[in-house]
Amino acid sequence: MMTADEVKKALGLVPHPREGGCYIRTYESSEMLPPGSFADGRYRSARCTSTAIYYLLEHDTFSEMHRLKSDEIFHFYAGDAVEMLQLHVGGGGETVRIGSDLAHGDRPQVIVPRDVWQGSHLVPGGQWALLGCTVSPGFEFEDYEAATREELCAAWPEFSQLIAALTRPTPPN
């Protein structure tokens, strides 16, 4: 099996500037949605109809808790399983495993609906995981929203321990 460094080199992955982990954008639709395409006004500028990235997590990294204005689909490609926390609008939440061991509940594809808080890390003992993320309408950094550990723990106290593991101690920028 390849190492995480070999995967990063082979795919040209670079550190994600906000979320943690490493990534590279692999697809950007040439079809565009103009601003105001949605009645709720959630996009201030034009959006590609879809974007995709490779995303790599390592044993010492995690995907910080965040939410997007678009639906996101995660695809498992290689490595160890990933545990994802999803916190739903209006309360409640769940953890899901993204991976290839179907007999133990892993799913190779996981959907995160827009406005759902999400964060993830490798399962205990994991070394790295290569995922793909497809976002529709396409991702732009202005759509990325982070929250403080305190805000999320206050709203979802039953998930406080996992929230603490998936947030940084300082407030997001």
Side-chain angles (χ1 to χ4, degrees):
M1 182 190 285
M2 295 177 76
T3 67
D5 286 338
E6 290 169 334
V7 173
K8 287 188 271 190
K9 184 176 179 182
L11 297 176
L13 304 178
V14 298
H16 195 289
R18 298 281 311 268
E19 182 176 342
C22 292
Y23 84 112
I24 190 164
R25 188 175 276 203
T26 57
Y27 174 73
E28 199 172 84
S29 173
S30 61
E31 296 179 296
M32 299 293 288
L33 296 170
S37 295
F38 293 85
D40 61 11
R42 68 184 117 137
Y43 304 110
R44 292 179 288 175
S45 59
R47 289 285 175 284
C48 296
T49 56
S50 182
T51 57
I53 65 170
Y54 285 130
Y55 184 65
L56 181 84
L57 283 175
E58 295 177 75
H59 65 91
D60 59 348
T61 64
F62 62 90
S63 167
E64 77 172 357
M65 293 299 297
H66 67 283
R67 65 181 174 183
L68 302 180
K69 294 179 181 182
S70 299
D71 294 344
E72 184 169 19
I73 304 169
F74 283 79
H75 313 268
F76 181 81
Y77 296 134
D80 301 301
V82 171
E83 179 182 56
M84 174 184 279
L85 173 62
Q86 293 185 11
L87 303 174
H88 302 288
V89 177
E94 64 185 314
T95 57
V96 294
R97 280 177 51 121
I98 308 168
S100 61
D101 190 350
L102 303 180
H104 287 95
D106 291 3
R107 293 294 172 250
Q109 185 182 87
V110 170
I111 297 169
V112 181
R114 71 181 172 100
D115 294 328
V116 168
W117 291 100
Q118 60 167 301
S120 56
H121 61 176
L122 291 171
V123 297
Q127 292 301 302
W128 62 266
L130 178 63
L131 307 170
C133 303
T134 305
V135 179
S136 180
F139 174 79
E140 294 298 334
F141 279 98
E142 67 190 61
D143 300 335
Y144 184 97
E145 181 183 356
T148 66
R149 180 178 292 170
E150 293 74 21
E151 291 170 315
L152 294 173
C153 286
W156 290 274
E158 66 273 30
F159 294 101
S160 291
Q161 187 173 5
L162 194 47
I163 290 169
L166 297 173
T167 53
R168 293 176 177 80
T170 58
N173 306 6

